[in-house]
Amino acid sequence: MIAILGTGKMGEALLSGLVRAGLPPNEIMATARREDRAAALRESYGVRVVSNAEAAKAAETIILAVKPQDMGTLLAEIAPYVPADRLVITVAAGITTAFVESRLGEAVPVVRVMSNTPVLVDEAMSVISPGAHAGERHLERTEALLKPVGKVLRIPESQQDAATALSGSGPAYFFYLVEAMVDAGILLGMPRAAALDMVTQSIVGAAIMLRDSGEHPVILREAVTSPGGTTIAAIAELERHKVRAAFLDAIEAARDRSRQLASG
Ligand SMILES: NC(=O)c1ccc[n+]([C@@H]2O[C@H](COP(=O)([O-])OP(=O)(O)OC[C@H]3O[C@@H](n4cnc5c(N)ncnc54)[C@H](OP(=O)(O)O)[C@@H]3O)[C@@H](O)[C@H]2O)c1
């Protein structure tokens, strides 16, 4: 039995991924704070929506999907019902495995996950880190749960803030880039809808080439950068405006902000 505690946007994305992956709804429990939310989850997925205590007692795997600021309250509520033979998975940004472990009062295996919004289209990047009591089989169980909704990578917990900056926030940088390129299309007199189509399909095509060819991005870029051609004219401007340096600084700032938020 798997329980998702605090089934909001992230929890529902995981829930629907598990159901699509073929897990029978009667092996999943969900919890919600509001009755209308509980009713909607029952109706959409056919899962049992129960109290946090009931879910914690019954499930071998407990996924904590509340907002970081609600985590303390939730852990206090379930701590009496979580013995050391359970697996607790936390998906809350900035909540450390040590924080969860210290509030459970037993040597419970905890795995920390940072995912991102493409979880909604089964293309998430999820990075996972084991806590003090989590071993290989706990990581494997976590991977099995997350694979239906995207790619999973193991990283040391010390790199979670960096991963938050890179892949957690990552989709936002691409949306920002798309906005900027669509503006450029409009500047060149292109209708907005056509510009958006061209940019979106370019980013999808480039992403699939990157993922499926296994080629280094430099090789792929060089293939469309002929000597004295149009692409190099654009790249020269990007270099002149220090876009690469801006990305280094931006992602470093996101990492620092993630650290700051995690330390309260
Ligand atoms: N959204 C993402 O793409 C994303 C990506 C990476 C990580 N995360 C992480 O995922 C977590 C959830 O984010 P979210 O965007 O899914 O937030 P969300 O939509 O607000 O989901 C949290 C849900 O938990 C419910 N809840 C709060 N306290 C509860 C309690 N004690 N018992 C039962 N249910 C409770 C909330 O109820 P109410 O509706 O009544 O508030 C809400 O439905 C966060 O910690 C975030 O850091 C999210």
Side-chain angles (χ1 to χ4, degrees), residues 150-181:
K151 188 169 175 147
V152 192
L153 212 60
R154 297 181 185 188
I155 60 167
E157 190 166 9
S158 58
Q159 290 174 8
Q160 279 275 350
D161 291 311
T164 301
L166 210 53
S167 59
S169 303
Y173 313 146
F174 291 108
F175 296 134
Y176 179 88
L177 182 65
V178 168
E179 273 177 69
M181 288 175 68

PDB file of all heavy atoms in Angstrom, residues 150-181:
ATOM      1  N   GLY A 150       8.724  10.208 -15.377  1.00  0.00           N
ATOM      2  CA  GLY A 150       9.894  10.882 -15.942  1.00  0.00           C
ATOM      3  C   GLY A 150      11.195  10.181 -15.622  1.00  0.00           C
ATOM      4  O   GLY A 150      11.232   8.981 -15.372  1.00  0.00           O
ATOM      5  N   LYS A 151      12.255  10.967 -15.616  1.00  0.00           N
ATOM      6  CA  LYS A 151      13.592  10.424 -15.406  1.00  0.00           C
ATOM      7  C   LYS A 151      13.979  10.593 -13.935  1.00  0.00           C
ATOM      8  O   LYS A 151      13.585  11.570 -13.303  1.00  0.00           O
ATOM      9  CB  LYS A 151      14.566  11.186 -16.312  1.00  0.00           C
ATOM     10  CG  LYS A 151      15.943  10.608 -16.348  1.00  0.00           C
ATOM     11  CD  LYS A 151      16.777  11.232 -17.458  1.00  0.00           C
ATOM     12  CE  LYS A 151      18.182  10.687 -17.332  1.00  0.00           C
ATOM     13  NZ  LYS A 151      18.865  10.523 -18.584  1.00  0.00           N
ATOM     14  N   VAL A 152      14.766   9.649 -13.421  1.00  0.00           N
ATOM     15  CA  VAL A 152      15.177   9.703 -12.017  1.00  0.00           C
ATOM     16  C   VAL A 152      16.695   9.581 -11.927  1.00  0.00           C
ATOM     17  O   VAL A 152      17.295   8.756 -12.615  1.00  0.00           O
ATOM     18  CB  VAL A 152      14.549   8.549 -11.197  1.00  0.00           C
ATOM     19  CG1 VAL A 152      14.741   8.789  -9.701  1.00  0.00           C
ATOM     20  CG2 VAL A 152      13.075   8.374 -11.512  1.00  0.00           C
ATOM     21  N   LEU A 153      17.290  10.421 -11.099  1.00  0.00           N
ATOM     22  CA  LEU A 153      18.747  10.408 -10.924  1.00  0.00           C
ATOM     23  C   LEU A 153      19.042  10.426  -9.420  1.00  0.00           C
ATOM     24  O   LEU A 153      18.383  11.148  -8.673  1.00  0.00           O
ATOM     25  CB  LEU A 153      19.292  11.692 -11.560  1.00  0.00           C
ATOM     26  CG  LEU A 153      20.659  11.699 -12.199  1.00  0.00           C
ATOM     27  CD1 LEU A 153      20.735  10.703 -13.348  1.00  0.00           C
ATOM     28  CD2 LEU A 153      20.954  13.107 -12.725  1.00  0.00           C
ATOM     29  N   ARG A 154      20.048   9.650  -9.008  1.00  0.00           N
ATOM     30  CA  ARG A 154      20.454   9.678  -7.595  1.00  0.00           C
ATOM     31  C   ARG A 154      21.538  10.739  -7.414  1.00  0.00           C
ATOM     32  O   ARG A 154      22.492  10.779  -8.208  1.00  0.00           O
ATOM     33  CB  ARG A 154      21.039   8.337  -7.184  1.00  0.00           C
ATOM     34  CG  ARG A 154      20.057   7.206  -7.267  1.00  0.00           C
ATOM     35  CD  ARG A 154      20.729   5.916  -6.818  1.00  0.00           C
ATOM     36  NE  ARG A 154      19.831   4.785  -6.989  1.00  0.00           N
ATOM     37  CZ  ARG A 154      20.094   3.566  -6.548  1.00  0.00           C
ATOM     38  NH1 ARG A 154      21.229   3.321  -5.910  1.00  0.00           N
ATOM     39  NH2 ARG A 154      19.225   2.592  -6.748  1.00  0.00           N
ATOM     40  N   ILE A 155      21.430  11.555  -6.387  1.00  0.00           N
ATOM     41  CA  ILE A 155      22.494  12.526  -6.090  1.00  0.00           C
ATOM     42  C   ILE A 155      22.698  12.582  -4.574  1.00  0.00           C
ATOM     43  O   ILE A 155      21.779  12.251  -3.812  1.00  0.00           O
ATOM     44  CB  ILE A 155      22.160  13.957  -6.599  1.00  0.00           C
ATOM     45  CG1 ILE A 155      20.867  14.493  -5.952  1.00  0.00           C
ATOM     46  CG2 ILE A 155      22.046  14.018  -8.110  1.00  0.00           C
ATOM     47  CD1 ILE A 155      20.673  15.982  -6.159  1.00  0.00           C
ATOM     48  N   PRO A 156      23.891  12.985  -4.121  1.00  0.00           N
ATOM     49  CA  PRO A 156      24.072  13.173  -2.679  1.00  0.00           C
ATOM     50  C   PRO A 156      23.174  14.325  -2.215  1.00  0.00           C
ATOM     51  O   PRO A 156      22.941  15.277  -2.974  1.00  0.00           O
ATOM     52  CB  PRO A 156      25.548  13.559  -2.535  1.00  0.00           C
ATOM     53  CG  PRO A 156      26.160  13.414  -3.877  1.00  0.00           C
ATOM     54  CD  PRO A 156      25.089  13.328  -4.891  1.00  0.00           C
ATOM     55  N   GLU A 157      22.692  14.234  -0.974  1.00  0.00           N
ATOM     56  CA  GLU A 157      21.778  15.265  -0.493  1.00  0.00           C
ATOM     57  C   GLU A 157      22.430  16.649  -0.492  1.00  0.00           C
ATOM     58  O   GLU A 157      21.753  17.670  -0.655  1.00  0.00           O
ATOM     59  CB  GLU A 157      21.251  14.919   0.908  1.00  0.00           C
ATOM     60  CG  GLU A 157      20.127  15.852   1.331  1.00  0.00           C
ATOM     61  CD  GLU A 157      19.335  15.366   2.528  1.00  0.00           C
ATOM     62  OE1 GLU A 157      19.743  14.380   3.175  1.00  0.00           O
ATOM     63  OE2 GLU A 157      18.291  15.990   2.813  1.00  0.00           O
ATOM     64  N   SER A 158      23.776  16.693  -0.377  1.00  0.00           N
ATOM     65  CA  SER A 158      24.473  17.988  -0.384  1.00  0.00           C
ATOM     66  C   SER A 158      24.288  18.723  -1.720  1.00  0.00           C
ATOM     67  O   SER A 158      24.521  19.923  -1.807  1.00  0.00           O
ATOM     68  CB  SER A 158      25.964  17.779  -0.120  1.00  0.00           C
ATOM     69  OG  SER A 158      26.503  16.917  -1.113  1.00  0.00           O
ATOM     70  N   GLN A 159      23.868  17.993  -2.766  1.00  0.00           N
ATOM     71  CA  GLN A 159      23.662  18.640  -4.083  1.00  0.00           C
ATOM     72  C   GLN A 159      22.200  18.974  -4.352  1.00  0.00           C
ATOM     73  O   GLN A 159      21.858  19.414  -5.453  1.00  0.00           O
ATOM     74  CB  GLN A 159      24.186  17.723  -5.199  1.00  0.00           C
ATOM     75  CG  GLN A 159      25.691  17.609  -5.196  1.00  0.00           C
ATOM     76  CD  GLN A 159      26.195  16.588  -6.203  1.00  0.00           C
ATOM     77  OE1 GLN A 159      25.440  16.054  -7.012  1.00  0.00           O
ATOM     78  NE2 GLN A 159      27.484  16.312  -6.143  1.00  0.00           N
ATOM     79  N   GLN A 160      21.327  18.790  -3.359  1.00  0.00           N
ATOM     80  CA  GLN A 160      19.899  19.028  -3.606  1.00  0.00           C
ATOM     81  C   GLN A 160      19.598  20.497  -3.932  1.00  0.00           C
ATOM     82  O   GLN A 160      18.759  20.773  -4.782  1.00  0.00           O
ATOM     83  CB  GLN A 160      19.058  18.573  -2.399  1.00  0.00           C
ATOM     84  CG  GLN A 160      18.799  17.068  -2.378  1.00  0.00           C
ATOM     85  CD  GLN A 160      17.584  16.650  -3.207  1.00  0.00           C
ATOM     86  OE1 GLN A 160      16.807  17.476  -3.662  1.00  0.00           O
ATOM     87  NE2 GLN A 160      17.433  15.349  -3.400  1.00  0.00           N
ATOM     88  N   ASP A 161      20.310  21.421  -3.276  1.00  0.00           N
ATOM     89  CA  ASP A 161      20.057  22.844  -3.571  1.00  0.00           C
ATOM     90  C   ASP A 161      20.488  23.181  -4.998  1.00  0.00           C
ATOM     91  O   ASP A 161      19.822  23.949  -5.695  1.00  0.00           O
ATOM     92  CB  ASP A 161      20.781  23.752  -2.568  1.00  0.00           C
ATOM     93  CG  ASP A 161      20.172  23.645  -1.178  1.00  0.00           C
ATOM     94  OD1 ASP A 161      18.936  23.748  -1.066  1.00  0.00           O
ATOM     95  OD2 ASP A 161      20.930  23.435  -0.210  1.00  0.00           O
ATOM     96  N   ALA A 162      21.594  22.580  -5.426  1.00  0.00           N
ATOM     97  CA  ALA A 162      22.051  22.799  -6.801  1.00  0.00           C
ATOM     98  C   ALA A 162      21.052  22.205  -7.794  1.00  0.00           C
ATOM     99  O   ALA A 162      20.745  22.816  -8.829  1.00  0.00           O
ATOM    100  CB  ALA A 162      23.435  22.172  -6.991  1.00  0.00           C
ATOM    101  N   ALA A 163      20.517  21.028  -7.473  1.00  0.00           N
ATOM    102  CA  ALA A 163      19.531  20.393  -8.361  1.00  0.00           C
ATOM    103  C   ALA A 163      18.239  21.209  -8.412  1.00  0.00           C
ATOM    104  O   ALA A 163      17.611  21.333  -9.468  1.00  0.00           O
ATOM    105  CB  ALA A 163      19.238  18.971  -7.892  1.00  0.00           C
ATOM    106  N   THR A 164      17.862  21.778  -7.284  1.00  0.00           N
ATOM    107  CA  THR A 164      16.677  22.645  -7.255  1.00  0.00           C
ATOM    108  C   THR A 164      16.873  23.809  -8.231  1.00  0.00           C
ATOM    109  O   THR A 164      15.979  24.162  -8.989  1.00  0.00           O
ATOM    110  CB  THR A 164      16.456  23.186  -5.821  1.00  0.00           C
ATOM    111  OG1 THR A 164      16.280  22.067  -4.957  1.00  0.00           O
ATOM    112  CG2 THR A 164      15.246  24.092  -5.731  1.00  0.00           C
ATOM    113  N   ALA A 165      18.090  24.375  -8.225  1.00  0.00           N
ATOM    114  CA  ALA A 165      18.399  25.515  -9.094  1.00  0.00           C
ATOM    115  C   ALA A 165      18.450  25.107 -10.564  1.00  0.00           C
ATOM    116  O   ALA A 165      18.070  25.878 -11.441  1.00  0.00           O
ATOM    117  CB  ALA A 165      19.731  26.130  -8.674  1.00  0.00           C
ATOM    118  N   LEU A 166      18.932  23.895 -10.821  1.00  0.00           N
ATOM    119  CA  LEU A 166      19.163  23.462 -12.203  1.00  0.00           C
ATOM    120  C   LEU A 166      17.905  22.849 -12.827  1.00  0.00           C
ATOM    121  O   LEU A 166      17.423  23.325 -13.859  1.00  0.00           O
ATOM    122  CB  LEU A 166      20.304  22.442 -12.198  1.00  0.00           C
ATOM    123  CG  LEU A 166      21.184  22.344 -13.425  1.00  0.00           C
ATOM    124  CD1 LEU A 166      21.740  23.694 -13.830  1.00  0.00           C
ATOM    125  CD2 LEU A 166      22.338  21.370 -13.145  1.00  0.00           C
ATOM    126  N   SER A 167      17.362  21.798 -12.195  1.00  0.00           N
ATOM    127  CA  SER A 167      16.215  21.121 -12.822  1.00  0.00           C
ATOM    128  C   SER A 167      14.882  21.486 -12.165  1.00  0.00           C
ATOM    129  O   SER A 167      13.857  21.509 -12.850  1.00  0.00           O
ATOM    130  CB  SER A 167      16.413  19.608 -12.821  1.00  0.00           C
ATOM    131  OG  SER A 167      16.571  19.119 -11.509  1.00  0.00           O
ATOM    132  N   GLY A 168      14.887  21.788 -10.867  1.00  0.00           N
ATOM    133  CA  GLY A 168      13.640  22.209 -10.213  1.00  0.00           C
ATOM    134  C   GLY A 168      13.111  23.474 -10.870  1.00  0.00           C
ATOM    135  O   GLY A 168      11.967  23.541 -11.322  1.00  0.00           O
ATOM    136  N   SER A 169      13.971  24.479 -10.963  1.00  0.00           N
ATOM    137  CA  SER A 169      13.587  25.738 -11.612  1.00  0.00           C
ATOM    138  C   SER A 169      13.821  25.693 -13.114  1.00  0.00           C
ATOM    139  O   SER A 169      13.372  26.584 -13.837  1.00  0.00           O
ATOM    140  CB  SER A 169      14.413  26.902 -11.032  1.00  0.00           C
ATOM    141  OG  SER A 169      14.247  26.992  -9.643  1.00  0.00           O
ATOM    142  N   GLY A 170      14.529  24.689 -13.594  1.00  0.00           N
ATOM    143  CA  GLY A 170      14.952  24.602 -14.990  1.00  0.00           C
ATOM    144  C   GLY A 170      13.874  24.928 -16.021  1.00  0.00           C
ATOM    145  O   GLY A 170      14.102  25.743 -16.926  1.00  0.00           O
ATOM    146  N   PRO A 171      12.686  24.289 -15.909  1.00  0.00           N
ATOM    147  CA  PRO A 171      11.659  24.583 -16.916  1.00  0.00           C
ATOM    148  C   PRO A 171      11.362  26.081 -17.052  1.00  0.00           C
ATOM    149  O   PRO A 171      11.126  26.571 -18.157  1.00  0.00           O
ATOM    150  CB  PRO A 171      10.434  23.819 -16.400  1.00  0.00           C
ATOM    151  CG  PRO A 171      11.025  22.679 -15.628  1.00  0.00           C
ATOM    152  CD  PRO A 171      12.258  23.246 -14.960  1.00  0.00           C
ATOM    153  N   ALA A 172      11.427  26.816 -15.934  1.00  0.00           N
ATOM    154  CA  ALA A 172      11.138  28.260 -15.994  1.00  0.00           C
ATOM    155  C   ALA A 172      12.131  28.989 -16.885  1.00  0.00           C
ATOM    156  O   ALA A 172      11.763  29.929 -17.601  1.00  0.00           O
ATOM    157  CB  ALA A 172      11.159  28.863 -14.587  1.00  0.00           C
ATOM    158  N   TYR A 173      13.404  28.554 -16.874  1.00  0.00           N
ATOM    159  CA  TYR A 173      14.403  29.236 -17.718  1.00  0.00           C
ATOM    160  C   TYR A 173      14.062  29.032 -19.196  1.00  0.00           C
ATOM    161  O   TYR A 173      14.263  29.931 -20.012  1.00  0.00           O
ATOM    162  CB  TYR A 173      15.822  28.717 -17.455  1.00  0.00           C
ATOM    163  CG  TYR A 173      16.217  28.607 -15.999  1.00  0.00           C
ATOM    164  CD1 TYR A 173      17.070  27.596 -15.557  1.00  0.00           C
ATOM    165  CD2 TYR A 173      15.729  29.506 -15.046  1.00  0.00           C
ATOM    166  CE1 TYR A 173      17.434  27.480 -14.225  1.00  0.00           C
ATOM    167  CE2 TYR A 173      16.081  29.391 -13.706  1.00  0.00           C
ATOM    168  CZ  TYR A 173      16.929  28.366 -13.304  1.00  0.00           C
ATOM    169  OH  TYR A 173      17.274  28.247 -11.996  1.00  0.00           O
ATOM    170  N   PHE A 174      13.568  27.837 -19.523  1.00  0.00           N
ATOM    171  CA  PHE A 174      13.220  27.577 -20.930  1.00  0.00           C
ATOM    172  C   PHE A 174      11.981  28.364 -21.338  1.00  0.00           C
ATOM    173  O   PHE A 174      11.902  28.864 -22.456  1.00  0.00           O
ATOM    174  CB  PHE A 174      13.066  26.070 -21.177  1.00  0.00           C
ATOM    175  CG  PHE A 174      14.385  25.347 -21.089  1.00  0.00           C
ATOM    176  CD1 PHE A 174      14.677  24.533 -20.015  1.00  0.00           C
ATOM    177  CD2 PHE A 174      15.351  25.532 -22.065  1.00  0.00           C
ATOM    178  CE1 PHE A 174      15.908  23.899 -19.914  1.00  0.00           C
ATOM    179  CE2 PHE A 174      16.589  24.899 -21.976  1.00  0.00           C
ATOM    180  CZ  PHE A 174      16.858  24.076 -20.896  1.00  0.00           C
ATOM    181  N   PHE A 175      11.000  28.475 -20.413  1.00  0.00           N
ATOM    182  CA  PHE A 175       9.819  29.287 -20.739  1.00  0.00           C
ATOM    183  C   PHE A 175      10.232  30.739 -20.981  1.00  0.00           C
ATOM    184  O   PHE A 175       9.742  31.414 -21.894  1.00  0.00           O
ATOM    185  CB  PHE A 175       8.770  29.214 -19.609  1.00  0.00           C
ATOM    186  CG  PHE A 175       8.198  27.833 -19.408  1.00  0.00           C
ATOM    187  CD1 PHE A 175       8.069  27.280 -18.144  1.00  0.00           C
ATOM    188  CD2 PHE A 175       7.785  27.073 -20.493  1.00  0.00           C
ATOM    189  CE1 PHE A 175       7.543  26.007 -17.963  1.00  0.00           C
ATOM    190  CE2 PHE A 175       7.261  25.787 -20.334  1.00  0.00           C
ATOM    191  CZ  PHE A 175       7.143  25.253 -19.052  1.00  0.00           C
ATOM    192  N   TYR A 176      11.163  31.210 -20.169  1.00  0.00           N
ATOM    193  CA  TYR A 176      11.672  32.575 -20.286  1.00  0.00           C
ATOM    194  C   TYR A 176      12.370  32.774 -21.639  1.00  0.00           C
ATOM    195  O   TYR A 176      12.164  33.774 -22.333  1.00  0.00           O
ATOM    196  CB  TYR A 176      12.636  32.797 -19.115  1.00  0.00           C
ATOM    197  CG  TYR A 176      13.310  34.134 -19.048  1.00  0.00           C
ATOM    198  CD1 TYR A 176      12.719  35.210 -18.388  1.00  0.00           C
ATOM    199  CD2 TYR A 176      14.581  34.315 -19.610  1.00  0.00           C
ATOM    200  CE1 TYR A 176      13.367  36.433 -18.307  1.00  0.00           C
ATOM    201  CE2 TYR A 176      15.227  35.535 -19.530  1.00  0.00           C
ATOM    202  CZ  TYR A 176      14.619  36.588 -18.872  1.00  0.00           C
ATOM    203  OH  TYR A 176      15.256  37.787 -18.788  1.00  0.00           O
ATOM    204  N   LEU A 177      13.158  31.767 -22.011  1.00  0.00           N
ATOM    205  CA  LEU A 177      13.866  31.817 -23.293  1.00  0.00           C
ATOM    206  C   LEU A 177      12.872  31.849 -24.457  1.00  0.00           C
ATOM    207  O   LEU A 177      13.034  32.616 -25.420  1.00  0.00           O
ATOM    208  CB  LEU A 177      14.760  30.578 -23.385  1.00  0.00           C
ATOM    209  CG  LEU A 177      15.633  30.423 -24.622  1.00  0.00           C
ATOM    210  CD1 LEU A 177      16.673  31.527 -24.677  1.00  0.00           C
ATOM    211  CD2 LEU A 177      16.335  29.060 -24.610  1.00  0.00           C
ATOM    212  N   VAL A 178      11.827  31.028 -24.335  1.00  0.00           N
ATOM    213  CA  VAL A 178      10.799  30.992 -25.387  1.00  0.00           C
ATOM    214  C   VAL A 178      10.138  32.367 -25.517  1.00  0.00           C
ATOM    215  O   VAL A 178       9.976  32.896 -26.625  1.00  0.00           O
ATOM    216  CB  VAL A 178       9.753  29.887 -25.102  1.00  0.00           C
ATOM    217  CG1 VAL A 178       8.534  30.029 -26.011  1.00  0.00           C
ATOM    218  CG2 VAL A 178      10.386  28.510 -25.282  1.00  0.00           C
ATOM    219  N   GLU A 179       9.784  32.958 -24.359  1.00  0.00           N
ATOM    220  CA  GLU A 179       9.181  34.301 -24.378  1.00  0.00           C
ATOM    221  C   GLU A 179      10.069  35.280 -25.143  1.00  0.00           C
ATOM    222  O   GLU A 179       9.602  36.051 -25.976  1.00  0.00           O
ATOM    223  CB  GLU A 179       9.115  34.854 -22.945  1.00  0.00           C
ATOM    224  CG  GLU A 179       7.925  34.511 -22.115  1.00  0.00           C
ATOM    225  CD  GLU A 179       8.167  35.119 -20.732  1.00  0.00           C
ATOM    226  OE1 GLU A 179       8.159  36.366 -20.598  1.00  0.00           O
ATOM    227  OE2 GLU A 179       8.403  34.340 -19.797  1.00  0.00           O
ATOM    228  N   ALA A 180      11.368  35.247 -24.809  1.00  0.00           N
ATOM    229  CA  ALA A 180      12.312  36.194 -25.423  1.00  0.00           C
ATOM    230  C   ALA A 180      12.411  35.953 -26.923  1.00  0.00           C
ATOM    231  O   ALA A 180      12.436  36.908 -27.721  1.00  0.00           O
ATOM    232  CB  ALA A 180      13.688  36.051 -24.752  1.00  0.00           C
ATOM    233  N   MET A 181      12.437  34.682 -27.338  1.00  0.00           N
ATOM    234  CA  MET A 181      12.560  34.377 -28.772  1.00  0.00           C
ATOM    235  C   MET A 181      11.284  34.751 -29.520  1.00  0.00           C
ATOM    236  O   MET A 181      11.338  35.223 -30.667  1.00  0.00           O
ATOM    237  CB  MET A 181      12.913  32.902 -28.975  1.00  0.00           C
ATOM    238  CG  MET A 181      14.362  32.609 -28.577  1.00  0.00           C
ATOM    239  SD  MET A 181      14.798  30.857 -28.656  1.00  0.00           S
ATOM    240  CE  MET A 181      14.740  30.555 -30.424  1.00  0.00           C
TER     241      MET A 181
END
